[in-house]
Amino acid sequence: MTARFITFEGGEGVGKSTQIKRLMHSLSREGIEVVRTREPGGTPKAEAIRSFILQGKCEEWGAGAEAVLFAAARFDHVESLIAPNLDGGSWVLSDRFHDSTRAYQGLTDGVPDKLIDALEVLALNGRSPDLTVLLDMDPKIAFERVAMRAEEDGLMVPPDRFEKETLDWHRKLRDGFLSIAKNNPDRCIVLDANRDEDALEDAIWEVVVKRFPELQRAS
């Protein structure tokens, strides 16, 4: 079976991590080797860059510098983890990828398309996702859900570099993701994330099986 590269995108708190874990388990039940990763991160070098950015240490440098750092992390991520696993026959599921840089730093924070395009060419090196699942939700609802879960779990985690932005900023981010999906209909699928986790899991599995018919044959 051909190895596939699936990315999950969306704003803060839409449930990407949960659904990636669920999809990983579903694919594993089909006998597929699956690697789960995230961006920024996935490799030691990329995780170091993640920590630096999310702590806000480069915020004063501007969104352009952030985009370059994300691309540097992505380059190492692709070369050290994503490409080797795909070449070895494993499916790769990533919590965020290049669309996040275009949405966050590009469409929301105003980094020119010319720079975003150049960074994508450098960092991806031809490794574009086979499928991108965009989990869409009103940012106000998403943050209410995050706060509720944190309270239930007794967690008091300070907001990171992006979580602390205004609600209007996050609404602009949502529009950015939807614009990316609209411009890439062959790759991107938009799903309403404001529903029960089980129902969303079923909807994602339906999309994946439809996109990759070999899963039906394997079953």
Side-chain angles (χ1 to χ4, degrees):
M1 187 179 295
T2 303
R4 301 295 185 177
F5 180 24
I6 304 175
T7 57
F8 281 67
E9 297 284 2
E12 307 294 330
V14 297
K16 298 185 308 303
S17 298
T18 296
Q19 293 302 327
I20 287 175
K21 290 177 183 177
R22 290 181 174 221
L23 178 58
M24 181 179 182
H25 292 153
S26 296
L27 290 170
S28 296
R29 285 196 297 267
E30 299 296 327
I32 296 171
E33 293 289 334
V34 187
V35 173
R36 177 166 60 93
T37 188
R38 68 176 182 175
E39 285 215 347
T43 66
K45 293 177 183 177
E47 289 290 340
I49 294 175
R50 175 190 181 90
S51 178
F52 186 80
I53 294 175
L54 295 187
Q55 289 176 19
K57 292 183 179 179
C58 71
E59 187 173 1
E60 63 182 29
W61 301 351
E66 281 184 343
V68 171
L69 285 173
F70 278 125
R74 184 164 301 122
F75 178 83
D76 186 67
H77 191 203
V78 169
E79 294 299 305
S80 301
L81 188 146
I82 293 173
N85 278 287
L86 290 172
D87 291 342
S90 296
W91 289 41
V92 177
L93 309 182
S94 184
D95 184 342
R96 299 196 183 285
F97 196 56
H98 69 298
D99 290 321
S100 280
T101 299
R102 185 171 294 277
Y104 278 75
Q105 283 72 45
L107 297 173
T108 305
D109 278 339
V111 175
D113 287 345
K114 186 175 181 179
L115 176 57
I116 298 293
D117 291 343
L119 292 174
E120 281 189 6
V121 171
L122 172 66
L124 270 61
N125 195 21
R127 298 288 183 165
S128 181
D130 297 297
L131 170 66
T132 295
V133 179
L134 172 59
L135 300 184
D136 179 53
M137 185 187 298
D138 184 323
K140 185 174 185 297
I141 297 174
F143 277 108
E144 288 173 351
R145 286 174 52 169
V146 170
M148 184 181 302
R149 289 171 183 168
E151 184 176 349
E152 291 173 351
D153 295 338
L155 299 175
M156 295 297 291
V157 180
D160 66 26
R161 156 73 181 89
F162 302 107
E163 292 171 343
K164 69 180 184 180
E165 293 286 358
T166 67
L167 192 57
D168 284 343
W169 188 94
H170 283 280
R171 286 174 173 147
K172 186 177 180 181
L173 174 67
R174 181 192 187 189
D175 290 341
F177 273 120
L178 291 173
S179 175
I180 291 170
K182 182 178 180 180
N183 290 331
N184 297 273
D186 293 338
R187 174 173 61 84
C188 299
I189 295 292
V190 181
L191 294 177
D192 179 6
N194 188 23
R195 57 177 123 175
D196 176 84
E197 289 180 355
D198 292 340
L200 182 54
E201 177 185 1
D202 291 342
I204 292 171
W205 183 247
E206 182 178 345
V207 165
V208 171
V209 171
K210 183 177 181 180
R211 180 59 60 95
F212 309 120
E214 60 265 33
L215 285 173
Q216 295 176 334
R217 294 194 293 270
S219 299

